Amino acid sequence: MKKVLDTYSSKNDINIKQIVAYKDNILEIEEYKDGFRKDDTMNVMSVTKSVTSLLIGIAIDQGLIKSVDDYVMDYYKETYTPKRGEQTIFKVTIKHLLTMTAPYKGKSEPWTKVCTSDDWTLTTLDVLGGRKGITNEFRYHTLGVQILLGIIRNTSGMNVLDFANEYLFKPLGIEPRSNAGCESKEDQFEYLMNKNDHGKVWFLDPTGMPTAGWGLSLSAYEMAQIGLMVLNNGVYNDTRIISEKWIEMMTKSYVSTDEKFGNQDYGFLWWLPHRTREVIAAIGDGGNIIYVDRKNQIVVAITAHFKPMVFDRVEYIEKNIVEALTER
């Protein structure tokens, strides 16, 4: 297998733990550092959002959700009562949440309020909407993604962790995730900053709901299997896991961002780094990434411990790995 960790470097690559890469569905690169092994995992941060998108696709395939154009509140009639006088919330669709164009009250995300509550999903709904109405403005909101998994909980009648284990992870050969067991603020911080193996876990709120915007721990090998499934339009090992229609919808461009977000386009919780569908990526803080290059039939997965201001992971992959795999 090709070696890449020592052939290209930047000031931001020192936090990398694992690299796994496939070309034409063949494993070409598998490297680990700092004592990490194949089965060890990291909190892959916002890569979790892209997994949430896949779960929504599965729910739509199963008929649990009719359409991304459905109003969010149609799925919370029995479990949530909007604040008195709130009107905008009734106009928010699932698609608004998937494309980060949903409106929210306040200028910043209410992390303390949500993360100390008994039910993160219902508490997040308290900030959805607002007086400005539907503006379709791109507003990256990690907590808001939680509302999507609440829809799966309400329609499936299943614990969402069980839903993910049964319908996504199991078919991909990924071991079931369990509760990360974080109960205090200190536990949450330790989970976020841990530079060692996290185990086969997902951060859950007090109701047992997985965090939808961050907190899933995966290995690079496991992320690569997700990438292969996406590359192959929802099929993995000759088994269809997600419809081709969803993969196509998920990886279209719906929003074009500015320099703050790397001048990338945004699909359904997946990034389009070059504003085309030829390359799509699930990107998390610290440089955790699932990179899918359709043109060259390449999948790259990288795990890394949390390190602020890591912005060059796509560049790292394209200069160091894609070039190495296409020099033939």
Side-chain angles (χ1 to χ4, degrees):
M1 291 185 184
K2 293 180 179 292
K3 290 285 186 180
V4 296
L5 281 171
D6 298 324
T7 59
Y8 171 84
S9 65
S10 73
K11 63 182 180 181
N12 288 327
D13 67 359
I14 59 173
N15 66 330
I16 291 175
K17 300 295 185 181
Q18 302 167 314
I19 297 178
V20 173
Y22 285 79
K23 175 80 166 71
D24 298 323
N25 294 299
I26 297 172
L27 181 62
E28 295 281 2
I29 295 170
E30 190 175 15
E31 294 189 46
Y32 308 102
K33 62 183 293 189
D34 298 332
F36 262 64
R37 300 163 298 178
K38 177 180 179 178
D39 292 334
D40 292 338
T41 71
M42 294 295 297
N43 169 14
V44 295
M45 306 301 284
S46 289
V47 171
T48 310
K49 293 180 176 70
S50 302
V51 172
T52 292
S53 181
L54 295 171
L55 294 176
I56 290 293
I58 292 171
I60 288 177
D61 290 343
Q62 292 183 1
L64 300 174
I65 298 171
K66 293 179 182 178
S67 166
V68 296
D69 295 315
D70 288 351
Y71 294 114
V72 170
M73 282 300 101
D74 287 348
Y75 292 90
Y76 282 96
K77 290 179 179 177
E78 306 297 325
T79 57
Y80 179 78
T81 302
K83 300 294 184 181
R84 184 176 180 179
E86 170 59 46
Q87 296 297 320
T88 302
I89 195 171
F90 294 101
K91 300 175 183 178
V92 179
T93 66
I94 293 171
K95 186 175 181 179
H96 286 129
L97 293 173
L98 288 167
T99 57
M100 293 289 183
T101 55
Y104 298 94
K105 306 178 186 79
K107 294 182 178 179
S108 59
E109 297 191 51
W111 284 96
T112 300
K113 178 183 178 181
V114 171
C115 296
T116 57
S117 69
D118 293 332
D119 188 317
W120 291 20
T121 307
L122 299 185
T123 304
T124 301
L125 279 166
D126 287 342
V127 300
L128 183 65
R131 296 180 180 177
K132 292 183 178 180
I134 303 293
T135 65
N136 290 309
E137 176 186 356
F138 183 77
R139 185 174 180 187
Y140 195 83
H141 203 279
T142 293
L143 292 173
V145 183
Q146 196 69 29
I147 298 167
L148 291 169
L149 290 189
I151 292 173
I152 295 177
R153 176 173 64 184
N154 292 346
T155 57
S156 70
M158 292 180 66
N159 177 292
V160 177
L161 183 64
D162 293 338
F163 185 91
N165 283 332
E166 180 66 23
Y167 298 117
L168 181 61
F169 298 149
K170 183 179 178 180
L172 290 173
I174 296 173
E175 289 186 38
R177 301 298 100 158
S178 59
N179 192 344
C182 300
E183 299 180 357
S184 66
K185 182 172 71 174
E186 290 74 24
D187 288 342
Q188 293 182 29
F189 185 76
E190 171 60 25
Y191 187 77
L192 177 67
M193 301 305 294
N194 183 11
K195 296 181 180 181
N196 301 309
D197 173 33
H198 281 56
K200 310 294 185 181
V201 298
W202 197 336
F203 193 104
L204 308 185
D205 82 351
T207 71
M209 171 70 79
T211 46
W214 64 282
L216 172 61
S217 288
L218 294 167
S219 68
Y221 185 84
E222 290 170 332
M223 287 200 294
Q225 308 317 301
I226 294 172
L228 287 171
M229 185 267 292
V230 172
L231 177 67
N232 291 298
N233 297 313
V235 173
Y236 181 82
N237 281 349
D238 298 322
T239 299
R240 179 157 297 283
I241 298 173
I242 300 175
S243 66
E244 184 173 359
K245 180 180 178 180
W246 181 257
I247 299 298
E248 181 182 356
M249 291 174 61
M250 184 184 76
T251 57
K252 284 182 179 179
S253 171
Y254 297 96
V255 179
S256 291
T257 69
D258 58 17
E259 187 177 358
K260 179 181 178 181
F261 292 99
N263 295 308
Q264 302 179 94
D265 281 9
Y266 204 62
F268 286 170
L269 303 178
W270 283 73
W271 293 96
L272 286 69
H274 303 301
R275 302 197 189 280
T276 76
R277 297 179 70 244
E278 285 190 353
V279 174
I280 56 175
I283 300 175
D285 274 350
N288 291 281
I289 189 170
I290 304 172
Y291 174 98
V292 180
D293 179 341
R294 287 181 163 126
K295 178 181 178 182
N296 293 303
Q297 292 290 292
I298 289 173
V299 170
V300 181
I302 295 177
T303 60
H305 68 255
F306 178 70
K307 184 177 184 290
M309 309 302 286
V310 175
F311 298 125
D312 73 337
R313 199 66 85 216
V314 169
E315 180 184 7
Y316 177 94
I317 288 171
E318 292 178 346
K319 287 187 175 180
N320 192 31
I321 299 174
V322 173
E323 286 188 7
L325 294 180
T326 55
E327 289 176 353
R328 296 184 176 181

